[in-house]
Amino acid sequence: MAIPQEDRLDYLCRQDMNAIERAVDDIRTAMKNVDNMMPKTWIGKRADNWRTDPRAV
């Protein structure tokens, strides 16, 4: 008896990774939209510090 595809670990992991990739794309799109509305918002030392600060996530 075979395991249904939706119950297989590789399928579930692929679904999770797809959801993560969509979320990352959404964040990148949002950042791009902010940059288009307010140029140079994501430039400078404070922006660099924010991007590399794991607590900012």
Side-chain angles (χ1 to χ4, degrees), residues 8-39:
R8 292 180 44 171
L9 184 58
D10 61 322
Y11 176 81
L12 296 172
C13 289
R14 194 173 319 112
Q15 295 300 100
D16 287 345
M17 288 305 299
N18 288 340
I20 291 167
E21 288 176 7
R22 283 191 302 273
V24 168
D25 287 341
D26 290 345
I27 291 167
R28 287 186 176 145
T29 299
M31 290 177 70
K32 188 178 218 178
N33 289 341
V34 168
D35 196 39
N36 289 338
M37 289 187 304
M38 300 181 299

Side-chain angles (χ1 to χ4, degrees), residues 46-47 49-57:
R46 292 180 70 199
N49 289 342
W50 180 85
R51 287 182 183 191
T52 59
D53 185 355
R55 296 170 296 164
V57 176

